[in-house]
Amino acid sequence: MDQRTLLITLTGPDRPGVTSRLFSVLSGFPVSVADIEQVVIRGRLTLGVLVAYSGGPSTGTGTTLGALWTAVERVAEDLGMEVELSTGSQAAKEQRRRGRLSVSVLGATLQPAAIAGIAGRIAAAGANIDRIERLAQWPVTCIELSVSGANPAALRVELAAEAAAQEVDVAVQRTGLSRRAKRLIVMDVDSTLIQGEVIELLAAHAGCLDEVARVTEQAMRGELDFSESLRKRVALLEGLPEEVFAEVRKEVVLTPGARTLVRTLKRLDYRFAIVSGGFTQITDALVEELGIDYSAANVLEVVDGRLTGRVVGDIVDRPGKARALERFAAAAGLPISQTVAIGDGANDLDMIATAGLGIAFNAKPVVRQAADTAVNTPYLDSILYLLGISRDEVEAADAEDGVLTPR
């Protein structure tokens, strides 16, 4: 016997009792509930209910559907709402559901042309948008589209091109357990967790800022070997008194949204790690201030109260960051597939490639091209939306805990 579906869509002013009235009517018919979705926008309700029933020439389906349609129309009329009914095959619906993806769209403002372009690319890929939900309205707008029937790799390429054309950020991820299982965040420090580069703050005190900044930029673009560039820059700091560390710690500025990101993920029992080509003399203070679980950074050598211009031990370079991610995952008892790596420079490429999800944050072009997704807003907590966490959920949790900490 063929299993069929009937989609009932009620639209109109939101009011108490709509759902209970509809399901009270449906309880009088031989149908089962297959799916429910509801959204309220500016006081206007859209309620969709998918019911399943057995179809066939000997079941009297036509009579049953006619009676159901009449009953549902009466409910809609009583409530001052509009109703639509459409039938379909349950097997076809299940086929369409396979391969479901989450497509997150972020922007300072989202113009209709951007949504049109993205929706058009999804349709051209032979995929369907099953649901749209707003995750945030400020400081950026983020909407999430639930998409079925698409090849993830191919759709990611198409939407990346459209995102660049529309000047928005788009992330494509598999939905379901694989997305929700991400439990360890590993983040670069300089120009990611904090604004600017610590070595340039130190260089300003040594009077060699311009030279250090030039070498830093070359290293971040991948034009210089990181270890070589680090030794070259650190050598210029020789003779600085160790009291400079206290001064630089005061000058460090967190990226907007950093506190919110760490606080929210820690509240949800994520593990949080930082890995830096910078220096423990600065990152240790961030670990303590933010409650970070794991960290790795370089150590500047100090002898008789002054910097020697050398680094102690192995340098945390591009491969070293990937090894740190693997080490942190092992310490947390998590597989690599449950990790997220966030960075901006060429030094982050290996850990971004290693992680279950690699995110380029306001990154150099080479990193944006290599990462699973790119975020180009100035707000670090925008990454929460890629994990399916909405702004309303963050604010509700903060209010419950009495948190008034700046973002």
Side-chain angles (χ1 to χ4, degrees):
M1 189 175 293
D2 188 22
Q3 187 75 5
R4 309 288 294 178
T5 58
L6 174 69
L7 178 62
I8 303 166
T9 306
L10 279 173
T11 58
D14 187 27
R15 65 182 64 189
V18 173
T19 304
S20 62
R21 285 284 304 276
L22 176 60
F23 279 91
S24 293
V25 167
L26 294 178
S27 65
F29 295 88
V31 298
S32 60
V33 178
D35 201 359
I36 308 171
E37 291 186 5
Q38 176 175 309
V39 64
V40 178
I41 301 177
R42 300 293 186 184
R44 187 169 180 83
L45 167 72
T46 298
L47 170 62
V49 179
L50 186 75
V51 297
Y53 63 94
S54 298
S58 61
T59 60
T61 300
T63 301
T64 298
L65 288 183
L68 188 152
W69 170 241
T70 299
V72 172
E73 272 193 320
R74 188 175 299 117
V75 169
E77 183 178 354
D78 289 346
L79 295 172
M81 305 181 76
E82 299 175 357
V83 63
E84 293 182 2
L85 270 72
S86 58
T87 59
S89 165
Q90 179 70 8
K93 177 178 176 61
E94 291 305 319
Q95 178 66 27
R96 181 173 60 81
R97 280 181 173 271
R98 294 173 189 170
R100 178 161 288 183
L101 305 171
S102 292
V103 177
S104 304
V105 185
L106 299 87
T109 58
L110 291 182
Q111 300 299 327
I115 305 302
I118 290 164
R121 297 263 188 167
I122 292 171
N128 187 72
I129 300 173
D130 298 327
R131 183 178 181 183
I132 302 176
E133 180 182 8
R134 176 178 63 82
L135 293 184
Q137 194 170 16
W138 72 273
V140 297
T141 300
C142 177
I143 63 169
E144 184 171 280
L145 296 81
S146 181
V147 174
S148 57
N151 177 283
L155 186 62
R156 187 175 290 116
V157 171
E158 288 295 317
L159 294 187
E162 190 64 34
Q166 301 292 344
E167 298 183 342
V168 296
D169 296 331
V170 177
V172 179
Q173 303 176 69
R174 291 191 180 277
T175 193
L177 294 180
S178 63
R179 183 188 188 192
R180 297 172 187 171
K182 301 292 190 294
R183 307 305 298 175
L184 170 66
I185 309 296
V186 182
M187 181 177 293
D188 174 45
V189 176
D190 292 1
S191 299
T192 304
L193 181 65
I194 67 172
Q195 299 182 48
E197 303 282 326
V198 165
I199 197 165
E200 293 180 7
L201 296 176
L202 291 167
H205 288 271
C208 55
L209 175 58
D210 290 344
E211 186 173 357
V212 165
R214 178 178 56 80
V215 177
T216 298
E217 184 64 21
Q218 289 177 304
M220 291 300 99
R221 290 197 302 264
E223 297 172 2
L224 287 178
D225 173 75
F226 180 82
S227 296
E228 177 187 349
S229 73
L230 184 66
R231 290 190 179 95
K232 184 176 180 180
R233 288 174 288 168
V234 168
L236 298 170
L237 306 179
E238 182 181 0
L240 276 176
E242 64 179 336
E243 288 79 12
V244 73
F245 296 134
E247 294 301 318
V248 168
R249 289 187 203 109
K250 296 175 184 177
E251 296 167 3
V252 167
V253 178
L254 291 171
T255 298
R259 293 184 187 278
T260 300
L261 175 68
V262 178
R263 179 175 69 246
T264 301
L265 293 178
K266 293 284 288 180
R267 181 186 284 139
L268 295 172
D269 201 31
Y270 282 68
R271 296 293 181 267
F272 206 97
I274 55 174
V275 58
S276 176
F279 313 108
T280 58
Q281 286 92 343
I282 305 301
T283 59
D284 285 353
L286 294 171
V287 169
E288 183 176 356
E289 178 183 356
L290 298 175
I292 291 169
D293 299 291
Y294 312 107
S295 68
N298 298 302
V299 181
L300 288 173
E301 185 179 60
V302 178
V303 175
D304 296 331
R306 291 190 176 274
L307 279 66
T308 66
R310 294 188 296 270
V311 177
V312 178
D314 294 335
I315 289 179
V316 180
D317 55 5
R318 177 171 163 174
K321 286 191 171 186
R323 289 194 296 269
L325 182 145
E326 293 170 341
R327 188 167 66 251
F328 298 152
L334 296 171
I336 295 298
S337 61
Q338 293 184 14
T339 64
V340 179
I342 306 164
D344 74 303
N347 198 34
D348 302 314
L349 283 170
D350 285 9
M351 75 169 184
I352 283 175
T354 300
L357 174 66
I359 300 175
F361 181 74
N362 292 317
K364 305 298 185 291
V366 65
V367 183
R368 292 200 300 269
Q369 292 168 9
D372 295 308
T373 187
V375 174
N376 296 302
T377 74
Y379 307 105
L380 197 53
D381 49 346
S382 298
I383 289 167
L384 293 171
Y385 314 142
L386 303 185
L387 302 176
I389 302 167
S390 73
R391 171 59 58 180
D392 288 344
E393 290 175 308
V394 173
E395 293 182 353
D398 281 350
E400 184 177 332
D401 291 348
V403 174
L404 299 175
T405 306
R407 299 180 62 252

